[in-house]
Amino acid sequence: MKAKIMKPTAKGKAYKAVITSNGEKVKTIQGGQAGAKLGGTRTKAFKARHGNETAKQYINDLRWEGKAKIGSTVTIPKGKRV
């Protein structure tokens, strides 16, 4: 599965991700907190509070690490729930 990271359409969210599998749209998610600073020591605290079991949590994790910028596409590993 892949997720295209875009600007959010929901108020107060930091990103929108359209998840596709084999070219077909599976799900659209919006997450993050608009205006929240990413990275640094906050990353460790975020990881301690949140799991990494779902596609949304995986994308949130990448966003906190600065590895999933708006406009990028990320590959979601097998085994992540959508």
Side-chain angles (χ1 to χ4, degrees), residues 33-62:
Q33 185 178 16
K37 284 189 169 186
L38 303 178
T41 57
R42 299 175 61 101
T43 302
K44 187 175 181 180
F46 174 83
K47 288 181 179 181
R49 289 192 312 273
H50 303 280
N52 194 356
E53 302 295 319
T54 67
K56 184 172 185 174
Q57 290 169 331
Y58 179 74
I59 294 168
N60 279 341
D61 193 26
L62 291 178

Side-chain angles (χ1 to χ4, degrees), residues 27 40 49 55 76:
K27 189 174 190 177
R49 289 192 312 273
I76 300 170

Side-chain angles (χ1 to χ4, degrees), residues 13-48:
K13 297 297 180 182
Y15 71 90
K16 172 179 164 179
V18 177
I19 300 172
T20 57
S21 179
N22 297 325
E24 294 185 28
K25 182 178 166 183
V26 176
K27 189 174 190 177
T28 299
I29 57 175
Q30 298 200 53
Q33 185 178 16
K37 284 189 169 186
L38 303 178
T41 57
R42 299 175 61 101
T43 302
K44 187 175 181 180
F46 174 83
K47 288 181 179 181

Side-chain angles (χ1 to χ4, degrees), residues 1-5 17-20 55 58-59 62-63 67-69 71-77:
M1 285 189 290
K2 295 191 181 281
K4 174 75 175 170
I5 312 298
V18 177
I19 300 172
T20 57
Y58 179 74
I59 294 168
L62 291 178
R63 293 275 304 146
K67 296 178 181 175
K69 307 262 187 225
S72 67
T73 300
V74 297
T75 301
I76 300 170

